[in-house]
Amino acid sequence: MLMPKRVKYRKQQRGRRRGKAYRGSEISFGEFGLKAVEPAWLTNRQIEAARVAVTRHIKRGGKVWIRIFPDKPVTVKPAETRMGKGKGAPDHWVAVVKPGRILFELEGVTQRLAREALDLASAKLPIKTKFITRTSI
């Protein structure tokens, strides 16, 4: 699973999911990409599931880039705990995704195969996404 090796602070505030992604909104490495259309927190498990779906479908042909990284800790208090007594313990890691962010990039496969692979990846994610090519931007 993806997670940072070390962080400056163990716990983080939630923040707000507003605005569009200006950084990471264009294809930089591959030929085809999967772009987020709505904001979300993507967990390390969701990102890994999408990556596995893509690499399995392209049968180790081509190259895959993951353009997001889960660096935000999400804390959870134990079940059936009364209110108060401080913030919960870090439970899992999420990547903050804004609309327009490129999630995955592919290279070295045909457009049809890339579309099929990224559609499978999209099915593993809880947000709407769009298939894009380097020329379609």
Side-chain angles (χ1 to χ4, degrees), residues 32-35 46-65 103-125 129-132:
F32 312 105
L34 191 66
K35 184 179 248 193
Q46 291 165 344
I47 296 166
E48 179 65 13
R51 184 198 65 79
V52 167
V54 170
T55 50
R56 283 224 178 110
H57 192 73
I58 61 175
K59 297 186 176 77
R60 292 187 298 160
K63 183 157 173 50
V64 181
W65 285 270
L103 307 175
F104 294 94
E105 288 186 27
L106 267 175
E107 184 186 65
V109 291
T110 63
Q111 181 163 347
R112 189 181 64 81
L113 188 64
R115 184 181 289 273
E116 289 170 1
L118 292 175
D119 279 347
L120 284 172
S122 177
K124 306 289 181 195
L125 302 174
T129 58
K130 192 164 73 172
F131 176 82
I132 58 167

Short mmCIF file of all heavy atoms in Angstrom, two decimals, residues 32-35 46-65 103-125 129-132:
data_model
loop_
_atom_site.label_atom_id
_atom_site.label_comp_id
_atom_site.label_asym_id
_atom_site.label_seq_id
_atom_site.Cartn_x
_atom_site.Cartn_y
_atom_site.Cartn_z
N PHE A 32 -1.89 8.45 -22.65
CA PHE A 32 -3.31 8.42 -22.26
C PHE A 32 -3.41 8.63 -20.75
O PHE A 32 -2.49 8.30 -20.01
CB PHE A 32 -3.94 7.07 -22.63
CG PHE A 32 -3.64 6.65 -24.03
CD1 PHE A 32 -2.72 5.65 -24.29
CD2 PHE A 32 -4.28 7.26 -25.11
CE1 PHE A 32 -2.42 5.27 -25.59
CE2 PHE A 32 -3.99 6.89 -26.41
CZ PHE A 32 -3.05 5.89 -26.65
N GLY A 33 -4.52 9.20 -20.31
CA GLY A 33 -4.67 9.47 -18.89
C GLY A 33 -6.09 9.30 -18.41
O GLY A 33 -7.04 9.25 -19.19
N LEU A 34 -6.22 9.21 -17.08
CA LEU A 34 -7.52 9.15 -16.42
C LEU A 34 -7.62 10.40 -15.56
O LEU A 34 -6.82 10.61 -14.65
CB LEU A 34 -7.61 7.88 -15.56
CG LEU A 34 -8.98 7.55 -15.01
CD1 LEU A 34 -9.93 7.19 -16.14
CD2 LEU A 34 -8.90 6.40 -14.02
N LYS A 35 -8.61 11.24 -15.88
CA LYS A 35 -8.75 12.54 -15.22
C LYS A 35 -9.96 12.53 -14.29
O LYS A 35 -11.03 12.05 -14.66
CB LYS A 35 -8.93 13.62 -16.29
CG LYS A 35 -9.00 15.03 -15.76
CD LYS A 35 -9.16 16.01 -16.90
CE LYS A 35 -7.93 16.84 -17.03
NZ LYS A 35 -8.09 18.01 -17.88
N GLN A 46 -7.91 2.09 -2.63
CA GLN A 46 -8.58 2.36 -3.90
C GLN A 46 -7.57 2.61 -5.01
O GLN A 46 -7.72 2.12 -6.13
CB GLN A 46 -9.52 3.56 -3.76
CG GLN A 46 -10.71 3.28 -2.88
CD GLN A 46 -11.41 4.55 -2.44
OE1 GLN A 46 -10.87 5.65 -2.55
NE2 GLN A 46 -12.63 4.40 -1.93
N ILE A 47 -6.52 3.37 -4.70
CA ILE A 47 -5.48 3.66 -5.69
C ILE A 47 -4.79 2.36 -6.11
O ILE A 47 -4.56 2.11 -7.29
CB ILE A 47 -4.46 4.67 -5.12
CG1 ILE A 47 -5.14 6.01 -4.85
CG2 ILE A 47 -3.29 4.86 -6.08
CD1 ILE A 47 -4.33 6.96 -4.00
N GLU A 48 -4.47 1.52 -5.14
CA GLU A 48 -3.79 0.25 -5.43
C GLU A 48 -4.68 -0.68 -6.24
O GLU A 48 -4.22 -1.34 -7.18
CB GLU A 48 -3.39 -0.41 -4.10
CG GLU A 48 -2.69 -1.74 -4.24
CD GLU A 48 -1.34 -1.68 -4.93
OE1 GLU A 48 -0.79 -0.57 -5.11
OE2 GLU A 48 -0.82 -2.75 -5.31
N ALA A 49 -5.98 -0.73 -5.91
CA ALA A 49 -6.91 -1.59 -6.66
C ALA A 49 -7.00 -1.14 -8.11
O ALA A 49 -7.02 -1.98 -9.03
CB ALA A 49 -8.30 -1.55 -6.01
N ALA A 50 -7.04 0.17 -8.34
CA ALA A 50 -7.09 0.70 -9.70
C ALA A 50 -5.80 0.38 -10.45
O ALA A 50 -5.82 -0.01 -11.62
CB ALA A 50 -7.33 2.19 -9.66
N ARG A 51 -4.67 0.52 -9.77
CA ARG A 51 -3.38 0.22 -10.40
C ARG A 51 -3.28 -1.25 -10.81
O ARG A 51 -2.86 -1.58 -11.91
CB ARG A 51 -2.23 0.56 -9.45
CG ARG A 51 -0.85 0.37 -10.07
CD ARG A 51 0.23 0.30 -9.04
NE ARG A 51 0.15 -0.85 -8.17
CZ ARG A 51 0.55 -2.08 -8.50
NH1 ARG A 51 1.05 -2.32 -9.68
NH2 ARG A 51 0.43 -3.07 -7.63
N VAL A 52 -3.71 -2.14 -9.92
CA VAL A 52 -3.68 -3.58 -10.22
C VAL A 52 -4.58 -3.89 -11.41
O VAL A 52 -4.20 -4.65 -12.30
CB VAL A 52 -4.11 -4.39 -8.98
CG1 VAL A 52 -4.38 -5.83 -9.33
CG2 VAL A 52 -3.04 -4.31 -7.90
N ALA A 53 -5.76 -3.26 -11.46
CA ALA A 53 -6.69 -3.50 -12.58
C ALA A 53 -6.05 -3.09 -13.91
O ALA A 53 -6.17 -3.80 -14.91
CB ALA A 53 -7.98 -2.72 -12.35
N VAL A 54 -5.37 -1.94 -13.92
CA VAL A 54 -4.73 -1.46 -15.15
C VAL A 54 -3.60 -2.40 -15.57
O VAL A 54 -3.55 -2.85 -16.72
CB VAL A 54 -4.18 -0.02 -14.97
CG1 VAL A 54 -3.31 0.37 -16.15
CG2 VAL A 54 -5.31 0.96 -14.82
N THR A 55 -2.69 -2.72 -14.64
CA THR A 55 -1.53 -3.54 -15.01
C THR A 55 -1.94 -4.94 -15.42
O THR A 55 -1.32 -5.53 -16.32
CB THR A 55 -0.51 -3.62 -13.85
OG1 THR A 55 -1.19 -3.97 -12.66
CG2 THR A 55 0.20 -2.30 -13.66
N ARG A 56 -2.99 -5.49 -14.82
CA ARG A 56 -3.46 -6.81 -15.22
C ARG A 56 -4.03 -6.77 -16.64
O ARG A 56 -3.82 -7.67 -17.43
CB ARG A 56 -4.56 -7.30 -14.27
CG ARG A 56 -4.01 -7.80 -12.97
CD ARG A 56 -4.69 -9.09 -12.53
NE ARG A 56 -4.08 -9.56 -11.29
CZ ARG A 56 -4.70 -9.54 -10.13
NH1 ARG A 56 -5.93 -9.10 -10.03
NH2 ARG A 56 -4.08 -9.99 -9.06
N HIS A 57 -4.78 -5.71 -16.93
CA HIS A 57 -5.43 -5.64 -18.24
C HIS A 57 -4.43 -5.44 -19.37
O HIS A 57 -4.61 -6.00 -20.45
CB HIS A 57 -6.49 -4.53 -18.27
CG HIS A 57 -7.36 -4.61 -19.48
ND1 HIS A 57 -8.33 -5.58 -19.62
CD2 HIS A 57 -7.40 -3.88 -20.61
CE1 HIS A 57 -8.94 -5.42 -20.78
NE2 HIS A 57 -8.38 -4.39 -21.41
N ILE A 58 -3.40 -4.64 -19.14
CA ILE A 58 -2.43 -4.41 -20.22
C ILE A 58 -1.36 -5.51 -20.26
O ILE A 58 -0.45 -5.45 -21.08
CB ILE A 58 -1.79 -3.01 -20.15
CG1 ILE A 58 -1.01 -2.82 -18.84
CG2 ILE A 58 -2.82 -1.92 -20.31
CD1 ILE A 58 -0.26 -1.52 -18.76
N LYS A 59 -1.49 -6.50 -19.35
CA LYS A 59 -0.62 -7.69 -19.34
C LYS A 59 0.87 -7.32 -19.37
O LYS A 59 1.62 -7.80 -20.19
CB LYS A 59 -0.96 -8.62 -20.51
CG LYS A 59 -2.37 -9.16 -20.43
CD LYS A 59 -2.61 -10.19 -21.50
CE LYS A 59 -3.98 -10.81 -21.37
NZ LYS A 59 -5.05 -9.96 -21.84
N ARG A 60 1.26 -6.42 -18.50
CA ARG A 60 2.64 -5.99 -18.33
C ARG A 60 3.24 -5.38 -19.61
O ARG A 60 4.45 -5.36 -19.78
CB ARG A 60 3.51 -7.15 -17.82
CG ARG A 60 3.15 -7.55 -16.39
CD ARG A 60 4.11 -8.55 -15.85
NE ARG A 60 4.08 -9.78 -16.64
CZ ARG A 60 5.05 -10.68 -16.67
NH1 ARG A 60 6.14 -10.48 -15.96
NH2 ARG A 60 4.95 -11.76 -17.37
N GLY A 61 2.38 -4.94 -20.51
CA GLY A 61 2.87 -4.21 -21.68
C GLY A 61 2.68 -2.73 -21.40
O GLY A 61 1.74 -2.34 -20.71
N GLY A 62 3.56 -1.90 -21.89
CA GLY A 62 3.42 -0.47 -21.65
C GLY A 62 3.88 -0.07 -20.26
O GLY A 62 4.40 -0.88 -19.51
N LYS A 63 3.68 1.18 -19.95
CA LYS A 63 4.12 1.72 -18.66
C LYS A 63 2.98 2.49 -18.01
O LYS A 63 2.23 3.17 -18.70
CB LYS A 63 5.34 2.63 -18.87
CG LYS A 63 5.92 3.19 -17.59
CD LYS A 63 7.36 3.57 -17.77
CE LYS A 63 7.92 4.29 -16.56
NZ LYS A 63 7.70 3.63 -15.28
N VAL A 64 2.86 2.37 -16.69
CA VAL A 64 1.80 3.03 -15.93
C VAL A 64 2.43 4.01 -14.94
O VAL A 64 3.40 3.67 -14.26
CB VAL A 64 0.95 2.00 -15.14
CG1 VAL A 64 -0.15 2.69 -14.38
CG2 VAL A 64 0.38 0.95 -16.07
N TRP A 65 1.89 5.22 -14.88
CA TRP A 65 2.31 6.21 -13.89
C TRP A 65 1.14 6.49 -12.97
O TRP A 65 0.01 6.70 -13.44
CB TRP A 65 2.72 7.53 -14.55
CG TRP A 65 4.04 7.51 -15.22
CD1 TRP A 65 5.26 7.81 -14.66
CD2 TRP A 65 4.30 7.20 -16.59
NE1 TRP A 65 6.24 7.70 -15.60
CE2 TRP A 65 5.69 7.34 -16.79
CE3 TRP A 65 3.49 6.83 -17.67
CZ2 TRP A 65 6.29 7.10 -18.02
CZ3 TRP A 65 4.09 6.58 -18.89
CH2 TRP A 65 5.48 6.72 -19.05
N LEU A 103 -5.08 11.16 -12.64
CA LEU A 103 -4.86 10.13 -11.63
C LEU A 103 -3.83 9.11 -12.11
O LEU A 103 -2.92 8.75 -11.37
CB LEU A 103 -6.18 9.42 -11.31
CG LEU A 103 -7.36 10.32 -10.92
CD1 LEU A 103 -8.62 9.51 -10.76
CD2 LEU A 103 -7.04 11.08 -9.66
N PHE A 104 -4.01 8.62 -13.34
CA PHE A 104 -3.11 7.62 -13.91
C PHE A 104 -2.74 8.03 -15.32
O PHE A 104 -3.53 8.67 -16.02
CB PHE A 104 -3.79 6.24 -13.96
CG PHE A 104 -4.09 5.67 -12.61
CD1 PHE A 104 -5.33 5.85 -12.03
CD2 PHE A 104 -3.14 4.94 -11.92
CE1 PHE A 104 -5.62 5.33 -10.79
CE2 PHE A 104 -3.42 4.42 -10.68
CZ PHE A 104 -4.65 4.61 -10.12
N GLU A 105 -1.55 7.61 -15.76
CA GLU A 105 -1.13 7.80 -17.14
C GLU A 105 -0.61 6.48 -17.68
O GLU A 105 -0.05 5.67 -16.94
CB GLU A 105 -0.04 8.87 -17.24
CG GLU A 105 -0.57 10.26 -17.01
CD GLU A 105 0.47 11.34 -17.26
OE1 GLU A 105 1.39 11.11 -18.07
OE2 GLU A 105 0.35 12.40 -16.64
N LEU A 106 -0.81 6.28 -18.99
CA LEU A 106 -0.40 5.05 -19.66
C LEU A 106 0.38 5.38 -20.92
O LEU A 106 0.11 6.40 -21.56
CB LEU A 106 -1.64 4.26 -20.09
CG LEU A 106 -2.19 3.20 -19.15
CD1 LEU A 106 -3.48 2.66 -19.71
CD2 LEU A 106 -1.21 2.10 -18.93
N GLU A 107 1.29 4.48 -21.27
CA GLU A 107 2.06 4.65 -22.50
C GLU A 107 2.46 3.27 -23.01
O GLU A 107 2.57 2.32 -22.24
CB GLU A 107 3.32 5.46 -22.20
CG GLU A 107 4.17 5.77 -23.40
CD GLU A 107 5.46 6.45 -23.00
OE1 GLU A 107 6.27 5.80 -22.32
OE2 GLU A 107 5.63 7.62 -23.36
N GLY A 108 2.64 3.16 -24.32
CA GLY A 108 3.14 1.90 -24.90
C GLY A 108 2.06 0.89 -25.21
O GLY A 108 2.37 -0.28 -25.41
N VAL A 109 0.79 1.32 -25.22
CA VAL A 109 -0.32 0.43 -25.60
C VAL A 109 -1.21 1.16 -26.59
O VAL A 109 -1.11 2.38 -26.75
CB VAL A 109 -1.15 -0.02 -24.37
CG1 VAL A 109 -0.36 -0.96 -23.47
CG2 VAL A 109 -1.62 1.17 -23.58
N THR A 110 -2.09 0.42 -27.25
CA THR A 110 -3.01 1.05 -28.21
C THR A 110 -4.06 1.86 -27.45
O THR A 110 -4.29 1.63 -26.26
CB THR A 110 -3.72 -0.02 -29.07
OG1 THR A 110 -4.52 -0.84 -28.20
CG2 THR A 110 -2.71 -0.88 -29.81
N GLN A 111 -4.71 2.75 -28.17
CA GLN A 111 -5.72 3.60 -27.52
C GLN A 111 -6.89 2.77 -27.02
O GLN A 111 -7.43 3.03 -25.94
CB GLN A 111 -6.21 4.68 -28.49
CG GLN A 111 -7.25 5.58 -27.83
CD GLN A 111 -7.47 6.88 -28.56
OE1 GLN A 111 -6.70 7.25 -29.44
NE2 GLN A 111 -8.52 7.58 -28.21
N ARG A 112 -7.29 1.75 -27.80
CA ARG A 112 -8.41 0.90 -27.39
C ARG A 112 -8.09 0.16 -26.09
O ARG A 112 -8.90 0.14 -25.15
CB ARG A 112 -8.74 -0.09 -28.50
CG ARG A 112 -10.02 -0.88 -28.28
CD ARG A 112 -10.28 -1.86 -29.41
NE ARG A 112 -9.24 -2.88 -29.49
CZ ARG A 112 -9.20 -3.97 -28.70
NH1 ARG A 112 -10.13 -4.16 -27.78
NH2 ARG A 112 -8.24 -4.85 -28.83
N LEU A 113 -6.88 -0.41 -26.02
CA LEU A 113 -6.47 -1.15 -24.83
C LEU A 113 -6.34 -0.20 -23.63
O LEU A 113 -6.74 -0.53 -22.51
CB LEU A 113 -5.14 -1.86 -25.08
CG LEU A 113 -4.66 -2.82 -23.99
CD1 LEU A 113 -5.64 -3.98 -23.84
CD2 LEU A 113 -3.28 -3.33 -24.30
N ALA A 114 -5.80 1.00 -23.86
CA ALA A 114 -5.66 1.98 -22.79
C ALA A 114 -7.02 2.39 -22.26
O ALA A 114 -7.22 2.51 -21.04
CB ALA A 114 -4.90 3.21 -23.30
N ARG A 115 -7.98 2.61 -23.15
CA ARG A 115 -9.33 3.00 -22.73
C ARG A 115 -9.98 1.90 -21.89
O ARG A 115 -10.57 2.18 -20.84
CB ARG A 115 -10.20 3.33 -23.95
CG ARG A 115 -11.58 3.84 -23.57
CD ARG A 115 -12.42 4.14 -24.79
NE ARG A 115 -11.98 5.31 -25.51
CZ ARG A 115 -12.39 6.55 -25.21
NH1 ARG A 115 -13.21 6.77 -24.21
NH2 ARG A 115 -11.96 7.58 -25.93
N GLU A 116 -9.84 0.64 -22.34
CA GLU A 116 -10.41 -0.49 -21.59
C GLU A 116 -9.78 -0.58 -20.20
O GLU A 116 -10.47 -0.76 -19.19
CB GLU A 116 -10.18 -1.80 -22.34
CG GLU A 116 -11.02 -1.95 -23.60
CD GLU A 116 -10.59 -3.14 -24.44
OE1 GLU A 116 -9.64 -3.86 -24.04
OE2 GLU A 116 -11.19 -3.34 -25.51
N ALA A 117 -8.44 -0.46 -20.14
CA ALA A 117 -7.73 -0.57 -18.86
C ALA A 117 -8.12 0.55 -17.91
O ALA A 117 -8.38 0.30 -16.72
CB ALA A 117 -6.22 -0.55 -19.11
N LEU A 118 -8.20 1.77 -18.42
CA LEU A 118 -8.54 2.90 -17.55
C LEU A 118 -10.02 2.90 -17.16
O LEU A 118 -10.38 3.42 -16.11
CB LEU A 118 -8.13 4.22 -18.21
CG LEU A 118 -6.60 4.40 -18.31
CD1 LEU A 118 -6.26 5.66 -19.07
CD2 LEU A 118 -5.95 4.41 -16.95
N ASP A 119 -10.88 2.27 -18.00
CA ASP A 119 -12.28 2.09 -17.60
C ASP A 119 -12.38 1.13 -16.42
O ASP A 119 -13.18 1.33 -15.51
CB ASP A 119 -13.11 1.56 -18.77
CG ASP A 119 -13.53 2.66 -19.74
OD1 ASP A 119 -13.39 3.85 -19.37
OD2 ASP A 119 -13.99 2.34 -20.86
N LEU A 120 -11.56 0.07 -16.46
CA LEU A 120 -11.53 -0.87 -15.33
C LEU A 120 -11.04 -0.16 -14.06
O LEU A 120 -11.59 -0.36 -12.98
CB LEU A 120 -10.60 -2.04 -15.64
CG LEU A 120 -11.14 -3.10 -16.60
CD1 LEU A 120 -10.05 -4.09 -16.95
CD2 LEU A 120 -12.32 -3.83 -15.98
N ALA A 121 -10.02 0.67 -14.21
CA ALA A 121 -9.50 1.41 -13.06
C ALA A 121 -10.56 2.36 -12.51
O ALA A 121 -10.72 2.49 -11.30
CB ALA A 121 -8.26 2.20 -13.47
N SER A 122 -11.29 2.99 -13.42
CA SER A 122 -12.33 3.93 -13.03
C SER A 122 -13.43 3.25 -12.20
O SER A 122 -14.00 3.84 -11.29
CB SER A 122 -12.93 4.58 -14.27
OG SER A 122 -13.97 5.44 -13.92
N ALA A 123 -13.69 1.98 -12.53
CA ALA A 123 -14.72 1.23 -11.81
C ALA A 123 -14.31 0.97 -10.36
O ALA A 123 -15.16 0.73 -9.50
CB ALA A 123 -15.00 -0.09 -12.52
N LYS A 124 -13.01 1.01 -10.08
CA LYS A 124 -12.52 0.77 -8.73
C LYS A 124 -12.52 2.05 -7.88
O LYS A 124 -12.26 2.00 -6.68
CB LYS A 124 -11.07 0.25 -8.76
CG LYS A 124 -10.87 -0.97 -9.60
CD LYS A 124 -11.50 -2.18 -8.98
CE LYS A 124 -11.25 -3.40 -9.84
NZ LYS A 124 -12.13 -4.51 -9.45
N LEU A 125 -12.76 3.20 -8.52
CA LEU A 125 -12.69 4.47 -7.82
C LEU A 125 -14.09 5.02 -7.53
O LEU A 125 -15.02 4.80 -8.31
CB LEU A 125 -11.90 5.48 -8.66
CG LEU A 125 -10.46 5.07 -9.01
CD1 LEU A 125 -9.84 6.07 -9.96
CD2 LEU A 125 -9.63 4.92 -7.76
N THR A 129 -14.75 9.83 -13.65
CA THR A 129 -13.48 10.14 -14.29
C THR A 129 -13.69 10.25 -15.80
O THR A 129 -14.76 9.89 -16.31
CB THR A 129 -12.42 9.06 -14.02
OG1 THR A 129 -12.92 7.82 -14.47
CG2 THR A 129 -12.08 8.99 -12.55
N LYS A 130 -12.65 10.74 -16.48
CA LYS A 130 -12.72 10.94 -17.92
C LYS A 130 -11.43 10.41 -18.55
O LYS A 130 -10.34 10.65 -18.01
CB LYS A 130 -12.86 12.44 -18.18
CG LYS A 130 -13.22 12.82 -19.59
CD LYS A 130 -13.71 14.24 -19.64
CE LYS A 130 -12.58 15.24 -19.46
NZ LYS A 130 -12.98 16.63 -19.70
N PHE A 131 -11.55 9.68 -19.67
CA PHE A 131 -10.38 9.20 -20.41
C PHE A 131 -9.90 10.32 -21.31
O PHE A 131 -10.68 10.91 -22.04
CB PHE A 131 -10.77 7.97 -21.24
CG PHE A 131 -9.65 7.46 -22.11
CD1 PHE A 131 -8.67 6.64 -21.60
CD2 PHE A 131 -9.59 7.81 -23.46
CE1 PHE A 131 -7.64 6.18 -22.40
CE2 PHE A 131 -8.56 7.36 -24.27
CZ PHE A 131 -7.59 6.52 -23.73
N ILE A 132 -8.61 10.63 -21.23
CA ILE A 132 -8.07 11.68 -22.09
C ILE A 132 -6.80 11.21 -22.78
O ILE A 132 -6.13 10.28 -22.31
CB ILE A 132 -7.78 12.99 -21.32
CG1 ILE A 132 -6.81 12.74 -20.18
CG2 ILE A 132 -9.05 13.61 -20.80
CD1 ILE A 132 -6.25 14.00 -19.60
#
